[in-house]
Amino acid sequence: HAAVTVPGVPFPIEMPAEQYASVFDPIDVLSFLAARTNRILLGTSAVNVLYHPPVLLARRLATLDQMSQGRLIAGVTAGWMTEEFLVAGIETPDIENRFADHLSALRAVWTRDPVYYEGAYYTIPTSDIEPRPFRPGGIPLLTGYATHAGLRRAARLGDGLHPYRNDFEQLTRELGIWRAGVESEGRDPGAMPVVLRASAKPESQPGSQSDVEPRPLFSGEFPRWVDDLNRLGDAGVSHVFLQFGRDVNVDQSLELLARLKDAAC
């Protein structure tokens, strides 16, 4: 990370880590993949929705859901980085209330005809807005989080949970908090998917931190990954996707995922 000073901005701008300096737009990439596949699920992890006008984001996601015939997993989160909000034209975000308002506007676009929505931050005048998602009722919104406040927000607003964790004990604690929050809202957490994103660090050197306990999920020798997957299933995680480092190429990552799938079946 590095900070730079920009004329007219009253604070140093933090530059992203190198791996985030060039990132393809996820919805465009998934649209490309939708045209080349017919079975795999297509997911975002996760779209910072507050950087996008809700009508435009709703139409883009609905288009992708139509093109993939209902294969979209919509991971969403509020965002947190001051510089990114500044670039998006949001100078002082009220994250809690703006995020709730944005998700309500998305759902209005997908489920009402004609669309009309009036919230604290977003207003949609009576309009015909197409396309609708492929699935009746709209696209489930799986909510990511980074803090306890975000976890409580996910319990209140989301249709499922999207953690990014490699610490199993921390994850199980947070799942308990989330489930209690969902139940307090009068909803059933057992009916909601939990899609875990985790970093994958295969075959570390003997004696490294990942080979001793407590060991991060999906680190160390490959046979331990199967145990990790089984533990996550017992904890109520319904879907796992792994993020490999830049030192693992696409072919290697696909081979490891195929081995993991075969071992888990």
Side-chain angles (χ1 to χ4, degrees):
H1 295 268
V4 299
T5 301
V6 177
V9 178
F11 51 83
I13 299 294
E14 182 181 1
M15 299 303 290
E18 182 181 354
Q19 64 265 32
Y20 296 117
S22 177
V23 179
F24 289 149
D25 182 275
I27 300 175
D28 293 338
V29 171
L30 293 177
S31 297
F32 172 79
L33 293 175
R36 299 176 65 88
T37 61
N38 53 35
R39 293 188 298 114
I40 64 171
L41 298 177
L42 306 166
T44 59
S45 176
V47 173
N48 294 317
V49 299
L50 299 188
Y51 306 159
H52 305 265
V55 170
L56 298 184
L57 182 60
R59 293 187 70 251
R60 294 187 71 202
L61 292 173
T63 298
L64 175 54
D65 199 53
Q66 284 284 352
M67 293 174 66
S68 64
Q69 296 190 308
R71 289 186 281 141
L72 175 61
I73 300 174
V76 295
T77 189
W80 61 272
M81 193 172 184
T82 300
E83 294 84 355
E84 291 183 338
F85 282 114
L86 182 64
V87 169
I90 305 172
E91 295 185 7
T92 55
D94 174 6
I95 291 178
E96 182 77 23
N97 294 319
R98 188 183 285 268
F99 185 62
D101 200 25
H102 197 294
L103 297 193
S104 294
L106 287 178
R107 291 176 172 127
V109 173
W110 291 335
T111 57
R112 300 177 191 172
D113 190 13
V115 178
Y116 173 78
Y117 181 78
E118 185 172 356
Y121 292 96
Y122 303 103
T123 298
I124 305 172
T126 303
S127 312
D128 291 324
I129 302 175
E130 298 285 352
R132 292 283 193 274
F134 182 84
R135 289 163 287 186
I139 300 165
L141 300 173
L142 277 61
T143 308
Y145 65 94
T147 64
H148 276 193
L151 190 59
R152 292 191 296 270
R153 185 164 56 238
R156 182 165 57 88
L157 301 175
D159 302 313
L161 190 66
H162 181 38
Y164 180 20
R165 291 288 182 263
N166 279 83
D167 184 323
F168 180 76
E169 299 302 326
Q170 179 184 7
L171 174 65
T172 54
R173 289 194 301 270
E174 291 173 344
L175 288 176
I177 294 170
W178 172 73
R179 290 182 178 122
V182 171
E183 289 174 349
S184 71
E185 296 289 328
R187 301 191 295 165
D188 178 13
M192 297 182 180
V194 176
V195 177
L196 173 69
R197 170 184 171 189
S199 297
K201 299 179 180 179
E203 299 182 352
S204 57
Q205 295 298 316
S208 71
Q209 182 63 36
S210 61
D211 290 319
V212 298
E213 300 299 340
R215 177 183 60 85
L217 295 166
F218 303 107
S219 64
E221 299 297 321
F222 180 81
R224 293 189 171 196
W225 293 23
V226 180
D227 295 334
D228 292 339
L229 203 61
N230 290 332
R231 285 198 296 164
L232 290 168
D234 292 340
V237 174
S238 50
H239 190 95
V240 176
F241 85 88
L242 300 180
Q243 177 176 314
F244 291 88
R246 301 177 72 180
D247 57 333
V248 180
N249 64 39
V250 173
D251 289 338
Q252 290 171 324
S253 63
L254 290 176
E255 179 185 357
L256 287 167
L257 291 173
R259 288 173 57 195
L260 186 60
K261 177 178 179 294
D262 291 342
C265 292

